[in-house]
Amino acid sequence: MSKTSFLLLSSLLLLTMSCQEKPNTNTSSIHYPISDTTEVVDVYHGQEVADPYRWLEDDLSPKTGDWVKAQNKITHGFLDKIPYRDRIKKRLEELMDYTKISAPIKNGAYTYHYQNNGLENHSVLYRKKEESDSAEVFLDPNTFSKNGTIALSGTFFTRDGALLAYMISEGGSDWRKVIVIDTENKAIVEDSLKNIKFSGLSWYKNEGFYYSSYEVPKEGSVLSGKTQHHRLMYHRLGTPQSEDRLVFGGPEQPFRYIGGRVSEDNRYLVITASHNTSGDQLFYRDLTRPESSIQALVDNTEHDFSFVDNDGDQLLVYTNYNAPRYKLIAIATETPSVENWKDIIPEAENVLSVSTAGGKLFAEYMVDAHSKIKQFDYRGRFEKNIELPGIGTIYGFRGKREAREVFYTFTSFTYPPTIFKYTLNDGQSTRYARPEVDFDPEKYTTEQVFYKSKDGTRVPMFIVYKKGLEITGKNPTYLYAYGGFNVSLQPSFSTERILWLENGGIYAQPNLRGGGEYGSKWHEAGTQLKKQNVFDDFIAAAEYLIDHNYTSSEYLAIRGGSNGGLLVGATMTQRPDLMKVALPAVGVLDMLRYHKFTSGAGWAHDYGTAEDSKEMFDYLLGYSPLHNLKPNTAYPATLITTGDHDDRVVPAHSFKFAAQLQAYHQGENPVLIRIETDAGHGAGVSLAKQLEASADMYSFIWYAMGVTPEIAQ
């Protein structure tokens, strides 16, 4: 849930399986681990709130460690006995065993791309000098650790490609290390930098680079300790990290998220700073004048501002200032006041995002959550529409100013990610690479429907399934959503989802309020005292699927991760009757204390905090999943998932929720927690761990529904 936030995502038919005997789903033999309770009471605005599982917040405690081991023993003991679990894993391995490559990018004399030749834990960075050359392995993260728990998490080349600074993540942590190498001989040129978090990296010439981080928590756990004041630092190559210079931020400028970027011509350093995940202040410094200081361009955090490029002394900035669906503006550094701002690409009917390559602007418009793209020059003059292969999602169109061709990737629910080369002078796209997946897209169909939420708001939803599927009302259906932090869920291809679809399942993905699909107003409609709108949208999506006979409550599974884990937690506590299976992943589940760990305080724009006001406290308490579990209640079959090294949404959220759920649940449905060891919030997870987790998830869904998948027949 960082500023760039990153993010997230993953879907069976009874008709093809109904003649099979249903598996035995009686779970009366499960004996959940005993979770001790303690007398911990907090007082908010005069109201006492008990927190009996507070001890599970201590991730360094041997008692917590023992609890984790006991829960995993029960969970894996249950999952391992599902008769078709191994067949599911084998099929997932078959589906994933194909060559996957990324779009190439030119750096210096070489063209680089990532490639995974099948079942490698991590994709390898390759390079070649000429198009006709064979690619050589340049950087192989599979050699970083024996068990795949160290991942490559970012690569940053100098403009001439002579140097590379790359980041690694250990055990899934958000804390990073930076290693700098000479690209010609791959020699490490200096000691590694440590303790870098929520950061990009931007080179100034070949002399050094800017990066961001926090002070490492001095007491308690580095994983769960609160990280409050972000700092933009400058590292001069060849000097120790202890001598790195504070450029902006820290206690004197207490922002929680700070980023710095050097313009491609090395003329400007542009800084964005924010207290929350939305709303930026904007600053710049003229690097051609050593005596210059940092100047403010925008001195409030009421809107979003993001630096795109510069055109001489004009800074091109992407913003939602007076434009809820975003626009691109030019700010002249000599006359930066608001009245002198100039629209380059004005706000349009659909949400805009902008990228650059070859001295051109590429404007992507999100039309009911799918992509359309136009080309402009730097003065905002329209040049051409770019034809796409169909309704789906594109990413790419990024390159240096001198580029004459640029690559982009197109994908959809039934269109594997395919790379195209776009030639700027004639506007022609040619297919560059398409993966050979064991999947026939002609056998599947995607619908987009619109349904009404509780308050009458019109919400879009994609529904994907096999052509010819008989819609019986008993089709196993996987409903996935997010609904927060201005994140948009667009059509995307998932190899793992093929398993669900080819076994007759239905996959549904609604675009809830709180996301960015229709701009900042859509986002704001799902925040703070309007957060219930998100849950209502999700519940209405499930009811639409049931009312239109796609499925029924006995064959519906809901899933979401991070903020989406909150979505699932709130939905299953408000409407435990609505679904058969609930899968909250790395979820924010304690809404009274989320802001007391790691970077959680920065999420207050979306959530608000219990300390803000009595009204905000009452509202949070009213939907907080942990606090709305009720005794003697039959909850859906639940598989909570988290990582023991998650330092974004700390695992204590899931630990406490699982303990309370197991204490209150009454019924035959299993309520389990699966805790991945040496794993974090999701990024950089090895393929082996991904396959294990997916096999467990799909097995759990089918088994809980009492369905034997076609693959097991």
Side-chain angles (χ1 to χ4, degrees):
M1 258 186 255
S2 72
K3 182 75 178 176
T4 55
S5 313
F6 154 263
L7 313 174
L8 256 319
L9 313 172
S10 251
S11 272
L12 297 174
L13 164 66
L14 184 61
L15 179 65
T16 60
M17 315 161 192
S18 58
C19 61
Q20 302 295 311
E21 181 181 350
K22 288 187 178 182
N24 179 13
T25 56
N26 189 307
T27 60
S28 59
S29 60
I30 296 179
H31 299 288
Y32 299 110
I34 295 174
S35 299
D36 292 338
T37 58
T38 55
E39 295 294 328
V40 177
V41 176
D42 294 315
V43 179
Y44 299 89
H45 306 281
Q47 181 172 335
E48 292 186 347
V49 179
D51 193 2
Y53 301 107
R54 176 74 59 83
W55 60 273
L56 284 168
E57 292 180 359
D58 185 358
D59 58 284
L60 298 178
S61 164
K63 184 178 180 181
T64 301
D66 291 342
W67 184 90
V68 168
K69 291 175 184 176
Q71 290 286 352
N72 270 342
K73 183 178 180 180
I74 294 295
T75 298
H76 289 292
F78 179 88
L79 295 170
D80 290 346
K81 290 178 182 177
I82 296 175
Y84 39 77
R85 193 261 180 200
D86 289 342
R87 293 185 215 180
I88 290 171
K89 183 185 176 187
K90 184 175 185 298
R91 178 56 181 153
L92 286 169
E93 289 175 344
E94 292 170 354
L95 290 168
M96 289 295 292
D97 193 7
Y98 67 94
T99 300
K100 299 164 278 288
I101 72 168
S102 72
I105 187 166
K106 182 86 168 176
N107 285 293
Y110 294 92
T111 299
Y112 294 81
H113 74 275
Y114 288 93
Q115 182 169 317
N116 190 309
N117 291 322
L119 297 176
E120 293 175 289
N121 274 327
H122 302 286
S123 294
V124 177
L125 185 60
Y126 287 81
R127 72 176 181 183
K128 58 184 178 180
K129 274 193 174 179
E130 303 294 338
E131 187 65 33
S132 58
D133 291 346
S134 297
E136 65 169 355
V137 172
F138 178 68
L139 198 60
D140 184 358
N142 297 292
T143 64
F144 293 173
S145 61
K146 291 182 179 180
N147 60 1
T149 57
I150 300 179
L152 181 64
S153 57
T155 54
F156 307 89
F157 289 87
T158 53
R159 195 181 184 317
D160 64 2
L163 297 170
L164 167 68
Y166 66 89
M167 289 186 181
I168 62 171
S169 170
E170 299 172 300
S173 173
D174 279 332
W175 293 100
R176 304 287 194 252
K177 291 181 180 177
V178 172
I179 300 164
V180 183
I181 62 174
D182 183 314
T183 58
E184 192 59 40
N185 56 25
K186 307 179 190 177
I188 296 175
V189 300
E190 63 173 10
D191 291 340
S192 301
L193 277 66
K194 301 178 180 179
N195 299 322
I196 294 169
K197 188 172 185 179
F198 294 163
S199 178
L201 188 152
S202 190
W203 284 93
Y204 174 65
K205 301 180 178 178
N206 290 34
E207 298 175 8
F209 51 80
Y210 295 87
Y211 68 91
S212 306
S213 194
Y214 302 92
E215 290 279 3
V216 177
K218 292 181 172 58
E219 297 181 4
S221 170
V222 172
L223 292 177
S224 62
K226 190 173 184 178
T227 49
Q228 185 72 349
H229 301 141
H230 221 193
R231 303 172 301 157
L232 180 65
M233 308 293 294
Y234 178 72
H235 173 73
R236 178 172 288 278
L237 209 61
T239 63
Q241 187 178 3
S242 59
E243 296 180 7
D244 289 358
R245 174 169 55 88
L246 174 66
V247 176
F248 189 89
E252 299 303 314
Q253 295 162 313
F255 294 96
R256 295 193 180 96
Y257 304 108
I258 295 173
R261 182 178 158 197
V262 178
S263 61
E264 192 174 336
D265 60 6
N266 287 304
R267 182 172 177 178
Y268 295 110
L269 168 67
V270 182
I271 301 168
T272 53
S274 179
H275 298 292
N276 297 294
T277 50
S278 291
D280 308 285
Q281 289 186 16
L282 194 65
F283 305 85
Y284 83 98
R285 183 185 171 211
D286 187 342
L287 298 176
T288 65
R289 298 163 53 199
E291 74 286 356
S292 68
S293 60
I294 293 172
Q295 302 293 317
L297 292 172
V298 179
D299 61 0
N300 64 77
T301 56
E302 295 176 4
H303 300 91
D304 298 339
F305 292 89
S306 178
F307 174 61
V308 174
D309 200 357
N310 70 301
D311 185 13
D313 65 356
Q314 305 275 319
L315 303 183
L316 302 182
V317 176
Y318 172 73
T319 182
N320 62 355
Y321 174 79
N322 288 340
R325 291 179 295 276
Y326 292 85
K327 63 183 178 180
L328 185 72
I329 64 173
I331 303 177
T333 56
E334 296 301 317
T335 54
S337 55
V338 175
E339 62 268 18
N340 294 317
W341 294 0
K342 178 183 177 182
D343 284 0
I344 300 298
I345 302 178
E347 182 186 27
E349 182 181 357
N350 299 297
V351 176
L352 168 73
S353 60
V354 181
S355 59
T356 66
K360 302 296 182 182
L361 299 171
F362 295 95
E364 179 193 348
Y365 293 95
M366 190 159 34
V367 182
D368 290 330
H370 64 266
S371 299
K372 289 189 176 180
I373 192 157
K374 300 175 181 289
Q375 180 179 311
F376 295 85
D377 69 12
Y378 269 43
R379 297 292 187 270
R381 290 186 289 256
F382 170 77
E383 294 185 339
K384 56 178 68 78
N385 290 308
I386 298 173
E387 295 299 321
L388 298 177
I391 295 176
T393 305
I394 63 102
Y395 49 93
F397 285 106
R398 298 181 186 277
K400 295 183 175 65
R401 289 185 183 179
E402 65 270 20
R404 293 295 171 262
E405 58 188 26
V406 66
F407 294 86
Y408 67 93
T409 301
F410 177 84
T411 186
S412 72
F413 293 112
T414 58
Y415 197 103
T418 301
I419 301 167
F420 292 85
K421 180 168 68 174
Y422 177 77
T423 309
L424 278 83
N425 63 353
D426 61 9
Q428 295 299 307
S429 292
T430 56
R431 195 168 79 182
Y432 180 83
R434 180 171 181 166
E436 298 297 326
V437 187
D438 183 12
F439 173 77
D440 181 0
E442 296 303 317
K443 293 182 178 179
Y444 300 88
T445 189
T446 300
E447 301 176 23
Q448 187 177 38
V449 300
F450 294 84
Y451 64 91
K452 287 187 177 181
S453 190
K454 183 178 180 179
D455 63 357
T457 298
R458 184 172 179 263
V459 182
M461 176 165 57
F462 294 102
I463 306 174
V464 190
Y465 53 90
K466 189 184 292 186
K467 288 180 180 177
L469 182 69
E470 186 175 349
I471 305 300
T472 65
K474 296 183 177 180
N475 306 79
T477 298
Y478 182 123
L479 177 62
Y480 178 88
Y482 187 76
F485 294 93
N486 205 34
V487 172
S488 301
L489 290 188
Q490 294 185 261
S492 64
F493 186 80
S494 166
T495 312
E496 294 176 2
R497 196 185 299 135
I498 295 172
L499 178 77
W500 183 257
L501 296 173
E502 70 183 8
N503 280 276
I506 294 174
Y507 175 77
Q509 181 175 295
N511 299 103
L512 315 179
R513 280 174 285 184
E517 291 86 352
Y518 295 106
S520 54
K521 289 183 178 179
W522 191 255
H523 170 215
E524 295 298 327
T527 62
Q528 296 200 22
L529 296 173
K530 300 175 183 177
K531 189 65 180 177
Q532 183 61 40
N533 286 337
V534 185
F535 314 140
D536 290 342
D537 290 356
F538 197 50
I539 290 168
E543 291 175 336
Y544 178 94
L545 293 167
I546 293 168
D547 292 345
H548 288 75
N549 215 37
Y550 287 97
T551 192
S552 62
S553 293
E554 286 298 302
Y555 297 97
L556 177 64
I558 63 171
R559 186 170 190 262
S562 196
N563 172 76
L566 163 62
L567 172 68
V568 172
T571 302
M572 66 177 282
T573 52
Q574 292 181 17
R575 289 289 307 276
D577 61 309
L578 186 60
M579 75 296 298
K580 182 62 178 179
V581 183
L583 303 157
V586 293
V588 186
L589 300 166
D590 181 348
M591 297 310 296
L592 301 186
R593 288 178 58 78
Y594 76 86
H595 56 297
K596 297 181 180 296
F597 304 100
T598 64
S599 59
W603 312 337
H605 176 86
D606 260 52
Y607 297 148
T609 73
E611 288 81 10
D612 288 347
S613 66
K614 177 68 161 58
E615 181 185 26
M616 193 73 248
F617 160 70
D618 288 340
Y619 194 83
L620 290 167
L621 185 64
Y623 76 77
S624 176
L626 174 65
H627 300 92
N628 283 277
L629 290 165
K630 297 178 176 60
N632 303 315
T633 301
Y635 286 100
T638 305
L639 182 62
I640 305 161
T641 52
T642 189
D644 68 346
H645 279 60
D646 190 341
D647 50 3
R648 192 174 309 182
V649 180
V650 293
H653 284 274
S654 296
F655 292 176
K656 295 199 299 183
F657 186 74
Q660 192 71 80
L661 177 63
Q662 289 174 351
Y664 282 171
H665 173 59
Q666 193 170 66
E668 295 298 327
N669 290 328
V671 289
L672 304 170
I673 181 169
R674 184 186 188 279
I675 305 155
E676 191 73 74
T677 56
D678 291 322
H681 200 60
V685 176
S686 70
L687 181 60
K689 285 183 180 288
Q690 291 178 47
L691 290 172
E692 289 283 347
S694 294
D696 286 346
M697 179 188 70
Y698 286 127
S699 300
F700 183 83
I701 295 173
W702 273 313
Y703 194 72
M705 290 178 178
V707 170
T708 300
E710 187 177 347
I711 193 173
Q713 295 177 16

